Amino acid sequence: MNGTRIAFFAVGVVFAVDTVLLLGLITLKTVHRRRMERHDQRRSIYLGVLSRRLAFPLHTDYIDPEVARDGAFLDAVIDLRNTVAGPEIDTLAGIIDRYGLVKRQAARLRSRFPLGRRLRAAVSLAEMGDESSAPLLIEFLSDREPEIRIQCARGLGRMQHTPAIDAIIERFGKESPWVRSRFADTLVGFGALAAWPLLAYARVNHDYDDNAAVVEAIRVLGTIGERDIGPPLSDLLAKFRNPELKIAAIEALGYVGGPLAVTPLVAYMQDHDWRLRAKAANSLGEIGDPQASPALRLGLEDENWWVRRNSAGALAGIPGGLGILHEALHADDQFARDAAAEALADCGQLGKARERQEQGQATAADLELLGFMIEDALVP
Amino acid sequence: MGIGGRIGGSLGESARVTTPLVGLCYDIETRMSQAKRVLVADDSEAVRTVLVTALTQAGYEVAVAINGNDAYEMGQTGSIDLALLDHLMPGLLGIEVIARWQAEGYQIPVIILSGVDDERTIVDSLDLGAVDFVRKPFRLPELMARIRQRLPD
Amino acid sequence: MVLEVLRWVGYGIVTYFIAMQLYLIFLGLLSAVVMRRTHHLNRFGRVADMLSSQTSPPVSIVIPAYNEAVGILESVRSMSIVGYPRFEIVITNDGSTDDTMQHLIEGFKLERVRIPYRPDIPTAPVRAIYRGRGSVDITVIDKENGGRADALNAGINAARYPYALCTDADVILDAKCLVSAMRRVVEDRQRIIAVGGNIRPLNGSTVQLGHLIRSEVPRRLVPRMQVLEYVRTFLASRPAWSRMNALPLVSGAFGIWKRSAVIAVGGFTTGHLGEDLDLTMRLHRHHIDNKIPYRIVYEPSAVIWTEVPNTLRVLKRQRIRWHRGLMTAVHDFMPMTFNPKYGKLGMVTWAAMFLFEFLAPIIEFTGWFVIPVAFLIGALDATNLVVMLGLALGVGLMNSLLALLLDESFGYFNGPADSKRLVVMAFIENLGLRQLTVAWRIRALIGGKSTRVWGNMERKGVANLGLEL
């Protein structure tokens, strides 16, 4: 019967596939595993040899040039590169140079191989951090594979190769959110050198529709923390129309604005958008200038929970703010009382009050705070 | 000497050091007094190798652990004079090992090796009783100097 | 006439099973493609040291706790060291009758704080809120008993961050799990509302002082069968579902949920036996109905470890519970089944869930009776029957082997004994263990009082439906 023959054939195929899968599994477990073990053994040996070279530079063990081809040797070099700093880096750079490790990985990166090998090459180049690979990495910032682009940027950041900053910023707007966030981290690594180019980028691009990149750029500015950026950023903030941009700029000013930024930020605490009010309160806390205290005290009574919470948290970090918070425990406004209590707990005051109480050294303010937290009467 | 060489020290104490291949030959002599025993705990083989090499060359006896739990157990033997603990290890973290040693009364000076982003860890570990911290990647001569300072002869 | 009917029914049943296995092969192949990227990124991508506090959204880890006095401190401590820049831990004491609360207060030096509890999702009454302040922010909510779903809702209410990781107290988190999962969120922040994780059974592995030292496949058959089941579903099914944006289930043991989305649909359903399945489906429905662009994804490298039933008795109760949860869900979401409005979810994955997960025990059970009878009467041809059964078994084996191959990229099982045990399991699981689960699920369908009382081990969501496939 034809049907039966087909059925038998199908069963045969199925069991053939099963056998192939089973063999594949066995191969992976045995052959592949053994290969990995030998790789690890060789790597250990290389680590030993290279460590001795780092520890006593005068002794030079003989290293066969053939090791340049061994992935285990590359792994060992990279591991050491990530472990030691200072003069040992030069020794390693010399080894990288002598054995042509960069050239080899560059060739792999350029190849048409599938993702695995190329990604590995990009990661290796990034980890080796050798200046000679910088032009190549800049070139591959526009590779079709996002993970490779990320690694190239990362490598350029590790070697602090400043010409790359513009290249990375140029790609900012074209990247997906994940890649862009990785680029952002790399730019943070460049520090102050990246601040002005980023500001320029924000100035030019903030009016366009897709602001996500500019938002990210402003965030990076805040993280870099370059104080000189404060005033121009403040000016730029006044020009922004998009609320997301404004929020990012307000947040960044918290880090770079300094006392000069207090006045504009206090103005934002009156904005109709709660997100801007909340961010402004947060930033005023970061700046830590007592000028902001009155505005923050008002913020405790804001209708929005986030604004109240941020205002209270900000006060906890400002000189004199704790006193204001303690006073707010008596406020008429229920919201203000609750916000103040939460902030006093979060900043550790509650814990300290408890400790002092246990040691019999509680102040009146401590007892009041502890009592506030418990529904019933004051703690004795 | 070569592979598996024996190093003789005075007081009949000897430390066996196994050296891998690749044709090398060197002399090591332990110090006059009983060698100080240093525990190196890190899950990264590179860190372990570098530290073991440098410490052995400086004349210390080295015990090695590859995770927090092993490090903790080795500390319990009572023969460790100084411990170099990584913070992020499989098993117990560096600071957890310190906490447990302290709780059980082992007074082992500890130097914590920490990665770049571990601000809070450093503060916590110093609070818990570590005597020093070194950021990774570290400068080898500097680290050795700090060790020598903690282990006076 | 009867002969004809019996013959068709007999063949029909076997065909049904072949169809089921073919569906699984399709999923397996799609998963293999998806996992390839993960594999490369795992080995060469350096994901873990890439997330800094600026880019990573803060996460609240929400843990429901009921009578967990014994291990709660250790497990919360081990959770607090998960590698992630900004997170807080929110524990809900769900009216424990032991001294869980005392342990927590003493262990973390908690202080009661009178802060307003904002019930965005209605829950059982909250008695008090505590905050602790060490290297990790810990908030503990003390409330009256309301069940796991209710406890999770309370935790979500009190969480301060936009994303909540809902998990259990006795779970061991892998150090990189949060980073891996949140990486998916960062990739597509506007749309992603939930991320599911990869759950691995802890049985048989070495755990010391709250940390996983070595993972091993257990010798005992009962947990070993579950290891194979979990590998099959979490490596060969879920990646495919996720790629189709039709993931019907984000496990209760590890799920990252966007707070605003969960609140918008009313949180977990209290009293539901499969609250995680229910919430996932409701999120799908809400977003599709209201035409809101969204994605619910699964991240294979976000790994956690949990204990699974070690004995048949406990396993039975767990499976009965799961199936009852599935029954409720099938009933609730019947309008979505085979409904093209719901895209791949309605037409493929939920349809398959109904067809192959829910109906399977009924059909298989029928088969146990019909096929031998049909064979004895002579309605079924012996060779055909043997061939078709062989086909069904062979394809089932194929799915297991494919899943085991995919598991290699994780490298958790290093010894040869481990793979041997799993391969052997793949061969022998059809010799009785699987049939037992079918019988239990029939039991669940029948219902009755004994299927309504639960102990601790079975109290947690359906977590891992799709295992029976």
Side-chain angles (χ1 to χ4, degrees):
Chain A
M1 233 185 66
N2 218 352
T4 319
R5 203 157 291 169
I6 296 178
F8 269 114
F9 179 67
V11 172
V13 164
V14 163
F15 277 99
V17 172
D18 279 340
T19 319
V20 165
L21 287 176
L22 193 55
L23 285 176
L25 198 56
I26 295 175
T27 316
L28 266 182
K29 284 288 182 189
T30 51
V31 170
H32 184 65
R33 203 46 69 97
R34 217 164 284 155
R35 192 145 52 99
M36 300 294 297
E37 275 168 22
R38 280 200 294 263
H39 175 105
D40 287 343
Q41 271 169 8
R42 287 198 312 274
R43 195 184 58 156
S44 298
I45 295 176
Y46 294 136
L47 277 176
V49 172
L50 291 168
S51 295
R52 273 190 297 280
R53 195 173 282 209
L54 293 179
F56 2 107
L58 297 177
H59 288 258
T60 40
D61 314 330
Y62 172 70
I63 300 180
D64 192 332
E66 278 303 298
V67 303
R69 285 216 213 129
D70 194 343
F73 184 70
L74 179 64
D75 283 348
V77 169
I78 288 178
D79 284 347
L80 283 173
R81 180 81 176 63
N82 286 330
T83 306
V84 296
E88 286 84 30
I89 297 289
D90 294 329
T91 318
L92 285 172
I95 292 176
I96 290 174
D97 195 39
R98 177 122 62 91
Y99 292 91
L101 296 177
V102 169
K103 281 207 198 69
R104 193 167 287 274
Q105 295 306 310
R108 287 191 162 195
L109 183 57
R110 285 191 188 285
S111 71
R112 297 235 172 281
F113 276 108
L115 174 62
R117 201 178 286 207
R118 295 182 64 231
L119 180 57
R120 200 162 175 208
V123 172
S124 304
L125 287 170
E127 305 259 324
M128 279 194 283
D130 196 81
E131 267 288 329
S132 64
S133 58
L136 179 69
L137 291 179
I138 293 184
E139 183 189 329
F140 275 85
L141 276 176
S142 38
D143 188 88
R144 65 182 188 282
E145 185 56 56
E147 287 303 322
I148 290 186
R149 298 200 293 270
I150 290 173
Q151 291 299 333
C152 289
R154 186 167 159 256
L156 290 163
R158 279 168 68 97
M159 57 178 88
Q160 293 281 296
H161 185 79
T162 37
I165 295 179
D166 289 322
I168 295 175
I169 293 181
E170 205 215 338
R171 288 210 58 86
F172 229 50
K174 306 177 200 160
E175 291 292 357
S176 69
W178 168 248
V179 179
R180 192 165 51 222
S181 72
R182 304 304 319 127
F183 278 15
D185 277 350
T186 306
L187 289 170
V188 167
F190 277 110
L193 290 164
W196 296 100
L198 277 168
L199 186 68
Y201 174 78
R203 270 208 195 105
V204 169
N205 290 297
H206 76 263
D207 259 340
Y208 297 140
D209 281 333
D210 180 12
N211 293 106
V214 181
V215 170
E216 188 83 51
I218 308 266
R219 264 200 216 117
V220 174
L221 282 175
T223 316
I224 292 177
E226 168 68 19
R227 285 300 176 89
D228 293 341
I229 285 282
L233 184 58
S234 234
D235 294 338
L236 199 53
L237 167 60
K239 294 199 193 110
F240 284 159
R241 287 187 303 227
N242 183 314
E244 302 289 337
L245 275 176
K246 289 200 230 181
I247 294 172
I250 292 175
E251 181 174 356
L253 280 174
Y255 300 116
V256 303
L260 286 174
V262 172
T263 320
L265 286 176
V266 163
Y268 274 104
M269 287 210 64
Q270 303 295 320
D271 196 284
H272 64 271
D273 188 338
W274 67 266
R275 296 177 298 171
L276 274 73
R277 297 200 301 272
K279 244 342 156 186
N282 208 353
S283 295
L284 286 168
E286 285 291 333
I287 295 175
D289 190 313
Q291 279 184 72
S293 306
L296 289 170
R297 174 62 184 81
L298 282 174
L300 288 181
E301 293 170 13
D302 193 286
E303 58 175 12
N304 180 288
W305 173 66
W306 280 105
V307 180
R308 296 197 296 272
R309 192 171 158 256
N310 288 5
S311 304
L315 280 170
I318 289 184
L322 284 176
I324 299 179
L325 286 174
H326 274 279
E327 268 171 38
L329 289 178
H330 301 296
D332 293 327
D333 189 288
Q334 166 86 41
F335 284 164
R337 294 202 294 271
D338 288 336
E342 187 171 1
L344 284 169
D346 282 346
C347 68
Q349 284 300 306
L350 182 60
K352 289 197 192 119
R354 174 69 68 195
E355 274 170 28
R356 286 195 284 265
Q357 189 223 12
E358 278 164 5
Q359 294 162 3
Q361 295 168 358
T363 65
D366 288 338
L367 293 173
E368 192 178 58
L369 179 58
L370 287 165
F372 184 91
M373 295 305 187
I374 301 174
E375 236 84 331
D376 333 305
L378 274 178
V379 179
Chain B
M1 259 195 263
I3 305 166
R6 247 172 175 281
I7 299 96
S10 50
L11 299 183
E13 192 99 38
S14 61
R16 191 176 192 84
V17 172
T18 317
T19 61
L21 314 162
V22 198
L24 71 96
C25 182
Y26 58 89
D27 284 5
I28 297 181
E29 292 199 347
T30 56
R31 304 192 179 235
M32 290 265 296
S33 51
Q34 195 174 26
K36 298 283 184 177
R37 208 165 144 84
V38 178
L39 169 66
V40 172
D42 197 311
D43 58 334
S44 154
E45 193 182 352
V47 171
R48 289 199 305 270
T49 316
V50 168
L51 288 177
V52 167
T53 310
L55 287 169
T56 337
Q57 188 246 348
Y60 299 104
E61 251 189 63
V62 186
V64 174
I66 60 175
N67 62 49
N69 295 45
D70 289 347
Y72 165 61
E73 277 168 26
M74 285 190 192
Q76 290 178 315
T77 61
S79 57
I80 304 289
D81 298 308
L82 173 71
L84 292 168
L85 300 180
D86 182 21
H87 173 59
L88 282 171
M89 293 188 276
L92 289 173
L93 290 183
I95 53 175
E96 291 183 303
V97 175
I98 299 179
R100 283 176 195 262
W101 281 343
Q102 294 260 340
E104 294 171 20
Y106 296 101
Q107 299 293 343
I108 305 175
V110 172
I111 299 181
I112 287 262
L113 303 169
S114 94
V116 178
D117 262 333
D118 277 337
E119 208 63 69
R120 217 178 222 168
T121 313
I122 296 170
V123 170
D124 285 346
S125 54
L126 288 176
D127 278 341
L128 272 170
V131 297
D132 205 348
F133 72 87
V134 175
R135 279 210 151 92
K136 285 203 282 192
F138 51 80
R139 288 170 179 257
L140 198 51
E142 188 183 304
L143 177 57
M144 294 307 295
R146 287 181 193 235
I147 293 172
R148 275 197 299 276
Q149 187 196 29
R150 301 288 163 191
L151 283 181
D153 278 325
Chain C
M1 180 39 205
V2 170
L3 274 171
E4 270 301 304
V5 166
L6 275 180
R7 171 158 10 138
W8 281 111
V9 168
Y11 282 141
I13 289 175
V14 184
T15 315
Y16 168 87
F17 281 102
I18 294 175
M20 182 162 101
Q21 297 293 350
L22 286 176
Y23 167 67
L24 287 173
I25 292 178
F26 157 69
L27 288 182
L29 291 174
L30 183 54
S31 296
V33 168
V34 171
M35 295 264 302
R36 221 171 156 265
R37 271 196 80 81
T38 316
H39 168 75
H40 285 309
L41 293 180
N42 271 346
R43 289 190 60 205
F44 308 126
R46 303 286 191 275
V47 179
D49 45 38
M50 283 180 134
L51 227 46
S52 68
S53 56
Q54 291 84 36
T55 45
S56 47
V59 175
S60 302
I61 303 182
V62 175
I63 307 170
Y66 180 75
N67 288 351
E68 307 268 3
V70 173
I72 186 80
L73 284 182
E74 276 290 345
S75 59
V76 174
R77 273 209 197 99
S78 65
M79 276 193 204
S80 64
I81 58 176
V82 73
Y84 199 73
R86 261 188 315 161
F87 66 96
E88 63 163 355
I89 296 184
V90 179
I91 306 170
T92 308
N93 176 40
D94 192 34
S96 296
T97 53
D98 65 0
D99 45 353
T100 303
M101 206 56 229
Q102 259 325 99
H103 273 83
L104 286 170
I105 293 178
E106 282 161 15
F108 296 112
K109 297 206 189 41
L110 299 178
E111 278 299 332
R112 181 169 169 171
V113 293
R114 211 176 75 189
I115 52 180
Y117 169 71
R118 287 158 281 269
D120 295 313
I121 308 167
T123 64
V126 168
R127 294 194 280 243
I129 301 183
Y130 297 77
R131 285 259 165 91
R133 191 95 179 147
S135 47
V136 176
D137 296 343
I138 294 186
T139 304
V140 176
I141 315 238
D142 187 20
K143 71 182 258 297
E144 287 169 23
N145 183 272
R148 184 171 184 269
D150 196 63
L152 284 172
N153 286 338
I156 289 175
N157 281 338
R160 291 187 279 185
Y161 293 144
Y163 292 92
L165 163 62
C166 293
T167 180
D168 280 314
D170 50 6
V171 149
I172 294 187
L173 299 179
D174 179 78
K176 301 199 211 107
C177 68
L178 207 44
V179 172
S180 304
M182 291 307 289
R183 178 186 187 279
R184 303 299 295 268
V185 172
V186 173
E187 262 175 1
D188 198 354
R189 212 143 159 185
Q190 309 292 6
R191 293 188 301 172
I192 290 204
I193 56 174
V195 183
N198 189 348
I199 303 177
R200 304 188 75 101
L202 192 54
N203 306 45
S205 301
T206 324
V207 176
Q208 271 176 30
L209 303 169
H211 296 266
L212 179 73
I213 301 293
R214 217 172 84 80
S215 57
E216 263 182 73
V217 172
R219 268 215 190 88
R220 288 182 60 122
L221 290 182
V222 172
R224 206 202 297 187
M225 174 183 78
Q226 292 171 77
V227 171
L228 187 58
E229 281 179 328
Y230 279 54
V231 165
R232 269 205 305 260
T233 186
F234 282 101
L235 265 59
S237 285
R238 299 217 180 178
W241 285 339
S242 170
R243 168 62 83 89
M244 298 192 274
N245 194 21
L247 186 66
L249 173 58
V250 169
S251 296
F254 186 105
I256 295 194
W257 311 86
K258 190 169 183 179
R259 255 189 103 238
S260 53
V262 172
I263 291 174
V265 297
F268 289 93
T269 307
T270 43
H272 198 296
L273 294 176
E275 71 267 2
D276 39 8
L277 176 63
D278 177 71
L279 179 62
T280 317
M281 291 301 291
R282 272 190 297 126
L283 281 172
H284 276 292
R285 185 173 60 189
H286 172 86
H287 286 75
I288 294 178
D289 284 350
N290 294 306
K291 296 199 178 19
I292 308 171
Y294 78 104
R295 287 194 64 83
I296 297 182
V297 297
Y298 162 77
E299 177 52 50
S301 50
V303 176
I304 63 156
W305 304 79
T306 188
E307 184 113 13
V308 298
N310 227 7
T311 60
L312 282 174
R313 197 172 58 88
V314 182
L315 182 63
K316 171 180 175 182
R317 301 187 67 75
Q318 187 197 56
R319 296 300 157 99
I320 289 180
R321 183 185 196 274
W322 285 3
H323 207 70
R324 291 200 69 79
L326 178 60
M327 282 162 62
T328 320
V330 163
H331 171 263
D332 291 340
F333 298 105
M334 193 48 101
M336 288 172 71
T337 323
F338 289 113
N339 185 341
K341 175 182 177 197
Y342 293 98
K344 295 199 190 80
L345 178 70
M347 299 297 289
V348 181
T349 60
W350 187 249
M353 189 68 92
F354 169 71
L355 209 52
F356 295 138
E357 179 83 28
F358 179 66
L359 289 185
I362 304 174
I363 296 182
E364 187 161 345
F365 192 66
T366 319
W368 292 351
F369 296 106
V370 167
I371 291 184
V373 166
F375 179 64
L376 287 172
I377 297 184
L380 282 179
D381 185 32
T383 31
N384 279 345
L385 187 63
V386 165
V387 160
M388 290 187 98
L389 278 177
L391 209 52
L393 284 174
V395 177
L397 197 60
M398 200 153 53
N399 281 309
S400 295
L401 289 173
L402 179 60
L404 288 177
L405 268 172
L406 290 175
D407 191 43
E408 268 303 297
S409 75
F410 286 89
Y412 281 120
F413 297 131
N414 276 324
D418 292 319
S419 329
K420 236 184 275 169
R421 287 182 193 151
L422 284 176
V423 170
V424 165
M425 193 72 232
F427 278 97
I428 68 175
E429 73 172 341
N430 281 303
L431 295 179
L433 280 168
R434 262 211 38 163
Q435 283 66 20
L436 263 179
T437 64
V438 169
W440 295 335
R441 287 186 290 160
I442 297 291
R443 178 81 187 78
L445 280 170
I446 297 173
K449 211 174 352 152
S450 70
T451 58
R452 265 176 229 147
V453 181
W454 311 107
N456 229 345
M457 171 66 82
E458 313 97 16
R459 281 183 85 248
K460 312 159 197 174
V462 283
N464 312 306
L465 269 185
L467 298 187
E468 314 297 336
L469 286 172

